[in-house]
């Protein structure tokens, strides 16, 4: 949260193509923390899942969405660093290029998240501990 706040305070200097990729990574981490922790913590304290089957499906889909999103976003930051260090980036670097990469990445993440939600490939269900939900 503090890195995201710092990033927004310095947005004039950090909103270059790399800064946008970093902001995407930080937002994905923040969303994962805010949308996962309260439900898993309350269920762990109660000793079992409290939010029913629909809540389990939604919790697991959101966790899977932002979990894979964080990994792919970090991959974009790493790829961008590689491209810049080795001089492979076109000059000048355009912000639209980073935005296109971000949109494509999140669309790819949806390819992994939606099928289990629709019971096409896999499904979401309770973990063996019974206090959290994930892909089964």
């Amino acid at each position: 949260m503090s890195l995201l706040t710092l990033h927004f305070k310095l947005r004039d200097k950090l909103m270059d193509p790399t800064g946008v990729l970093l902001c995407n990574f930080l937002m994905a981490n923040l969303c994962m923390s805010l949308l996962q922790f309260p439900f898993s913590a309350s269920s762990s304290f109660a000793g079992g899942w409290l939010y029913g089957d629909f809540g389990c499906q939604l919790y697991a889909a959101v966790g899977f969405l932002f979990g894979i999103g964080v990994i792919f976003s970090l991959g974009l930051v790493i790829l961008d660093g590689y491209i810049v260090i080795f001089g492979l980036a076109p000059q000048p670097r355009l912000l639209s290029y980073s935005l296109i990469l971000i949109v494509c990445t999140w669309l790819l993440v949806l390819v992994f998240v939606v099928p289990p939600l629709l019971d096409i490939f896999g499904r979401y269900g309770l973990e063996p501990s019974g206090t959290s939900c994930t892909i089964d």
Side-chain angles (χ1 to χ4, degrees):
M1 181 86 169
S2 60
L3 284 176
L4 190 62
T5 305
L6 181 65
H7 190 81
F8 279 123
K9 285 186 179 184
L10 298 172
R11 70 180 165 269
D12 296 334
K13 296 178 183 170
L14 294 177
M15 279 312 200
D16 60 345
T18 302
V20 170
L21 293 174
L22 183 61
C23 188
N24 178 55
F25 174 70
L26 294 172
M27 288 298 294
N29 273 304
L30 179 66
C31 288
M32 186 166 176
S33 298
L34 292 177
L35 297 173
Q36 295 289 288
F37 178 71
F39 301 104
S40 63
S42 60
S43 291
S44 291
F45 284 126
W49 184 250
L50 300 173
Y51 303 102
D53 187 54
F54 180 74
C56 182
Q57 295 290 314
L58 192 60
Y59 172 84
V62 168
F64 208 49
L65 175 81
F66 288 113
I68 296 174
V70 164
I71 293 168
F72 284 7
S73 296
L74 181 59
L76 284 180
V77 172
I78 293 168
L79 178 67
D80 184 65
Y82 176 82
I83 289 171
V84 169
I85 288 171
F86 287 100
L88 303 173
Q91 296 298 332
R93 292 179 58 215
L94 300 175
L95 186 66
S96 61
Y97 180 71
S98 291
L99 294 175
I100 289 169
L101 284 175
I102 290 169
V103 168
C104 289
T105 298
W106 284 103
L107 289 175
L108 181 61
V109 169
L110 286 176
V111 169
F112 291 103
V113 172
V114 172
L117 199 56
L118 301 175
D119 285 332
I120 297 173
F121 294 113
R123 60 187 170 137
Y124 297 119
L126 279 174
E127 290 182 344
S129 65
T131 58
S132 186
C133 298
T134 188
I135 193 160
D136 191 15

